[in-house]
């Protein structure tokens, strides 16, 4: 994902808050402020600075989807993860979790084995059709058969309760790091092969492939179409919103210009998905998900 623009925005905001704190210290006697004292306002600004600092840290590490029915337990886990610079989205059921996944791109799913509307194992097995992000199970047993069942149905890791925070954090960071390293390694290769096309990242060239896997013809993509394809293959299985796509490809905020993204993606889809296999799936009103089909 493109986070450089957002990180720069946080940096500018943090700098402004710091300047406001310094100003208040120098001009507390003359400044008109809606607080009882300049010290109170300064404390408020410091709290704001800490809050925005934490927001910036969240962007740096990534986003976790916590799927857990127990509200009190979820609040505790969420608070601990956020203190360690992870952004956490909570879902109390499989249905709510799937809804969240279709609206936002996640870096990891922390999944309870027992959900109110579906077992965690069945849910994991089902979502493997739409996402490849790491799934770490949270279970109440250390039974080998239960753990094997979870891992054999799409899980990447299993943590039995009670679990130490440092162990949970280590498992999360290990799985996210491994996933990112894999994606980076794929993109660092000179030529990548997919079901319907082959892309040479060093020469910015794309070829259509036949059913036997042989190169058939070169696809002539516009610069925008090539950037879109590169973005999609680097986020395979992840939902990319219109805004994220616009920011990554055009290097600016979309300002609500969804139509531009839709037109270019439509043109790219016609060129690379000759079989109409659903390679680039539309999530209506939100964005797109790329699959190797």
């Amino acid at each position: 994902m493109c986070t450089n623009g957002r990180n720069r925005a946080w940096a500018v905001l943090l700098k402004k808050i710091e300047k406001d704190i310094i100003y208040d210290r120098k001009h507390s006697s003359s400044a008109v402020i809606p607080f009882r004292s300049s010290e109170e306002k300064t404390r408020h600004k410091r709290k704001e600075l800490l809050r925005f600092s934490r927001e910036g840290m969240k962007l740096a590490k990534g986003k976790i989807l916590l799927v857990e029915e127990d509200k009190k337990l979820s609040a505790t886990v969420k608070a601990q993860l956020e203190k360690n610079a992870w952004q956490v989205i909570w879902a109390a059921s499989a249905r709510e979790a799937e809804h969240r996944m279709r609206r936002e791109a996640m870096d990891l799913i922390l999944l309870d084995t027992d959900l109110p509307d579906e077992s965690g194992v069945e849910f994991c097995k089902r979502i493997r059709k739409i996402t490849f992000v790491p799934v770490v199970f949270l279970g109440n047993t250390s039974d080998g058969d239960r753990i094997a069942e979870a891992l054999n149905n799409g899980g990447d890791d299993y943590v039995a309760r009670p679990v130490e925070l440092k162990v949970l954090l280590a498992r999360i960071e290990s799985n996210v790091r491994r996933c990112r390293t894999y994606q980076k390694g794929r993109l660092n290769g000179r030529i990548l092969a997919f079901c319907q096309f082959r892309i040479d990242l060093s020469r910015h060239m794309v070829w259509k492939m036949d059913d036997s896997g042989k190169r058939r013809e070169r696809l002539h993509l516009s610069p925008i179409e090539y950037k879109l394809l590169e973005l999609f293959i680097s986020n395979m299985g992840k939902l990319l919103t219109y805004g994220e796509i616009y920011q990554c490809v055009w290097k600016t905020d979309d300002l609500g210009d969804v139509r531009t993204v839709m037109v270019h993606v439509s043109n790219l889809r016609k060129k690379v998905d000759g079989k109409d296999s659903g390679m680039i799936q539309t999530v209506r009103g939100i964005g797109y998900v790329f699959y190797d089909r």
Side-chain angles (χ1 to χ4, degrees):
M1 295 294 178
C2 290
T3 59
N4 291 338
R6 286 180 288 178
N7 286 337
R8 285 196 297 270
W10 287 121
V12 170
L13 187 54
L14 289 172
K15 190 173 182 180
K16 180 181 181 303
I17 294 173
E18 288 174 331
K19 285 183 177 179
D20 286 346
I21 293 173
I22 295 172
Y23 178 86
D24 286 342
R25 287 175 178 171
K26 291 182 178 180
H27 304 86
S28 59
S29 60
S30 59
V32 179
I33 54 178
F35 295 94
R36 285 175 290 185
S37 66
S38 60
E39 289 80 12
E40 184 179 351
K41 185 176 183 181
T42 299
R43 286 196 298 271
H44 174 74
K45 297 274 184 160
R46 284 174 176 165
K47 289 180 181 179
E48 289 294 293
L49 180 60
L50 177 60
R51 182 167 68 87
F52 283 113
S53 296
R54 286 175 177 169
E55 291 292 332
M57 288 171 67
K58 291 174 187 176
L59 291 172
K61 276 201 170 181
K63 188 183 296 184
I64 295 173
L65 176 63
L66 172 60
V67 190
E68 165 64 60
E69 179 185 12
D70 191 316
K71 186 175 181 180
K72 186 176 180 180
L73 177 61
S74 297
T76 301
V77 174
K78 185 175 185 291
Q80 292 296 329
L81 292 177
E82 287 177 342
K83 284 182 181 179
N84 285 272
W86 290 98
Q87 184 178 0
V88 181
I89 307 297
W90 175 54
S93 65
R95 182 178 180 181
E96 184 181 354
E98 186 171 1
H99 175 73
R100 289 283 193 176
M101 289 171 58
R102 292 188 180 278
R103 298 187 63 88
E104 301 177 68
M106 304 295 173
D107 292 287
L108 181 135
I109 300 171
L110 201 55
L111 179 62
D112 186 21
T113 53
D114 300 306
L115 300 174
D117 52 346
E118 186 178 7
S119 77
V121 173
E122 287 300 318
F123 175 67
C124 181
K125 184 179 180 180
R126 184 162 55 81
I127 64 171
R128 274 296 175 239
K129 299 176 182 178
I130 63 172
T131 184
F132 297 96
V133 299
V135 174
V136 176
F137 278 97
L138 286 175
N140 295 316
T141 179
S142 297
D143 179 68
D145 291 337
R146 290 290 301 275
I147 295 174
E149 181 187 16
L151 298 179
N152 289 333
N153 281 281
D156 295 277
D157 206 344
Y158 186 104
V159 180
R161 298 188 183 97
V163 58
E164 291 185 53
L165 176 62
K166 62 181 180 181
V167 174
L168 180 60
L169 288 171
R171 296 288 186 89
I172 290 172
E173 293 182 6
S174 174
N175 279 280
V176 171
R177 182 171 60 250
R178 182 166 57 250
C179 183
R180 289 174 176 171
T181 300
Y182 170 75
Q183 293 287 358
K184 184 178 180 181
R186 291 197 65 185
L187 290 179
N188 284 341
R190 181 186 172 107
I191 299 177
L192 299 179
F194 294 88
C195 290
Q196 295 195 57
F197 64 89
R198 185 169 294 179
I199 181 170
D200 187 332
L201 295 170
S202 61
R203 294 192 292 168
H204 288 205
M205 297 174 68
V206 182
W207 292 274
K208 191 72 175 174
M209 309 301 293
D210 60 23
D211 292 335
S212 64
K214 294 181 180 180
R215 184 186 301 178
R216 195 172 73 191
E217 61 179 309
R218 182 179 172 186
L219 295 175
H220 297 281
L221 306 183
S222 70
I224 292 296
E225 290 166 356
Y226 181 84
K227 288 180 181 178
L228 282 170
L229 182 59
E230 198 172 54
L231 176 64
F232 281 134
I233 65 175
S234 65
N235 292 277
M236 187 167 62
K238 284 188 177 182
L239 171 62
L240 294 172
T241 66
Y242 295 123
E244 289 169 335
I245 292 171
Y246 202 99
Q247 188 178 60
C248 290
V249 174
W250 283 271
K251 306 301 181 184
T252 184
D253 293 332
D254 66 331
L255 301 178
D257 185 12
V258 174
R259 183 64 182 170
T260 297
V261 176
M262 293 174 67
V263 169
H264 285 287
V265 170
S266 177
N267 293 336
L268 173 65
R269 185 187 277 136
K270 292 174 183 176
K271 293 180 180 180
V272 299
D273 191 8
K275 298 179 181 179
D276 195 22
S277 64
M279 179 191 299
I280 303 173
Q281 287 197 2
T282 301
V283 181
R284 190 172 182 179
I286 303 172
Y288 301 94
V289 182
F290 173 83
Y291 300 101
D292 185 19
R293 295 175 176 173

